[in-house]
Amino acid sequence: MQTFRMNASFLPAFLEALKKWGTLVAPVERGAGTFALEVIDDVSLARPEALRTILPFKKLLLKPRFTMLERRDGGPASEVFDNDMGPTVYFGAHACDVHALEILDLIYMSDFVDPYYRRNREKLTVVGYGCMPDEYCFCKSVGTETVERGFDVFLTPLGERYLVTVCSARGDDIVRANAELFEPASRADTRDYLQRLEERERRFTLEMDVTDLPYVLELKRDDPVWEEVGKKCLCCGSCSMVCPTCACFNVVDERPGLDRAVRVRTWDACLYRDYAVVAGGHNFRADRADRVRNRYYHKQEAFVREFGKPSCVGCGRCIENCPTGINVVEVFKHVRGEL
């Protein structure tokens, strides 16, 4: 790992240089306080200070909907590379996003490698950007507020300059190819970074106790809180769509025309009523409360058993986007008897 400094006025030139490594994708403002992660050519549109985009970065790896196979005129099925993005540079990743990327790697590249995910993942360059939390962030509680790996380059704003951390061979190549933009970090940069770290720690207002949480959940499997949340939840799937680590998907065969058939893969959600329907019509989670509980348990209990860590990174997207105001932190406080 190497550390440099870069004058803030060099950011546009740095973004222009990143285009040599792939299609540049960054947060773009689409309305007051509303940001989308989009391909940009005009680097002045980039808004790395945005805390959350409408959809998270996972859409850069697996589109919400893409064609896997196609068959025409009764011939053999052929693979369609509809999901392949090509070399892509994701600029503006926050620490929790980088942790989420590591979780997606565990899901899609552990035992059974997902080829659609892998092809895009191998061509993804990650350029992080230091953020300040708001009232929805609880990444500090789950240990994802900082990151030391999983990115290529990371920029931490320090007033009129950035502290630049390089964490990969690709990141080193980027810095070496644009050496005129960087200089060695100084003691003053270190001092200001530590001061910023202290200020950032003070800004966290939302906290969640995760002490022995998987075991607590196992003990509270029949807690009334799940029925209460189930009555409030619309099972609309909004929380799953905006979650950077939710990975449920469905595969369907469609016939757009008489001479064409396609196999399509789409994002899905375990909260949807028909998600657990199996052959014969039986639904293992027909009850809404069961589906709500399943989602919470997968994040904080089942994933921990399988991979040794929760699959929630505390980004706050589910809290911000729930139409009925369900707050994951409050749910777990009810489970613990704190509310």
Side-chain angles (χ1 to χ4, degrees), residues 42-63:
D42 181 357
V43 298
S44 67
L45 296 176
R47 293 291 181 269
E49 72 280 0
L51 270 179
R52 301 173 191 88
T53 52
I54 300 169
L55 287 179
F57 69 89
K58 65 183 180 183
K59 72 175 187 176
L60 304 179
L61 299 165
L62 293 166
K63 293 180 181 178

Side-chain angles (χ1 to χ4, degrees), residues 288-334:
R288 184 180 297 181
D290 287 342
R291 299 197 295 275
V292 170
R293 178 175 56 190
N294 175 73
R295 185 175 189 275
Y296 280 90
Y297 271 65
H298 179 264
K299 293 286 186 186
Q300 295 287 353
E301 195 262 348
F303 202 86
V304 175
R305 280 192 283 107
E306 184 169 3
F307 294 110
K309 63 193 314 183
S311 63
C312 172
V313 295
C315 67
R317 287 180 172 91
C318 58
I319 301 174
E320 185 178 32
N321 289 280
C322 180
T324 61
I326 295 175
N327 185 316
V328 58
V329 174
E330 292 179 359
V331 170
F332 285 122
K333 286 185 177 181
H334 277 291

Side-chain angles (χ1 to χ4, degrees), residues 45 93 103 133 157 176 179 197 200 208 238 249 265 297 322 334:
L45 296 176
I103 290 169
R176 286 177 180 272
L197 198 61
R200 188 169 182 263
M208 183 174 78
S238 292
F249 66 89
R265 176 167 161 174
Y297 271 65
C322 180
H334 277 291

Side-chain angles (χ1 to χ4, degrees), residues 83-259:
N83 187 63
D84 286 22
M85 312 286 190
T88 303
V89 179
Y90 169 30
F91 172 68
H94 297 150
C96 62
D97 292 323
V98 178
H99 281 279
L101 184 59
E102 183 178 22
I103 290 169
L104 290 182
D105 287 349
L106 289 173
I107 295 172
Y108 289 118
M109 298 179 65
S110 291
D111 297 327
F112 302 96
V113 177
D114 186 321
Y116 302 99
Y117 178 89
R118 182 182 61 188
R119 287 199 293 264
N120 286 330
R121 180 67 179 93
E122 291 174 347
K123 297 178 180 179
L124 181 67
T125 299
V126 180
V127 180
Y129 192 91
C131 63
M132 281 290 180
D134 66 3
E135 69 272 22
Y136 300 114
C137 297
F138 60 100
C139 54
K140 180 181 177 182
S141 296
V142 293
T144 60
E145 77 276 24
T146 60
V147 66
E148 298 177 352
R149 63 184 184 186
F151 58 88
D152 296 292
V153 180
F154 202 99
L155 307 184
T156 301
L158 299 176
E160 296 302 315
R161 67 195 186 284
Y162 294 104
L163 188 66
V164 182
T165 306
V166 180
C167 191
S168 72
R170 186 179 298 173
D172 186 60
D173 289 342
I174 292 172
V175 171
R176 286 177 180 272
N178 300 278
E180 70 279 3
L181 302 179
F182 305 96
E183 58 184 304
S186 66
R187 290 184 178 180
D189 298 322
T190 302
R191 180 199 63 217
D192 291 348
Y193 172 78
L194 293 174
Q195 290 178 351
R196 184 183 189 277
L197 198 61
E198 290 180 1
E199 172 62 24
R200 188 169 182 263
E201 290 287 306
R202 288 193 293 268
R203 291 201 188 186
F204 281 100
T205 58
L206 192 60
E207 297 181 353
M208 183 174 78
D209 185 3
V210 297
T211 306
D212 212 11
L213 185 55
Y215 185 57
V216 172
L217 287 172
E218 187 61 38
L219 295 173
K220 291 295 192 81
R221 191 170 291 274
D222 297 322
D223 195 277
V225 67
W226 306 118
E227 288 293 336
E228 296 172 11
V229 179
K231 292 176 182 177
K232 189 175 182 180
C233 178
L234 301 177
C235 285
C236 64
S238 292
C239 54
S240 297
M241 298 302 107
V242 301
C243 175
T245 64
C246 274
C248 294
F249 66 89
N250 193 16
V251 175
V252 296
D253 291 334
E254 299 177 351
R255 194 163 184 176
L258 294 177
D259 60 344

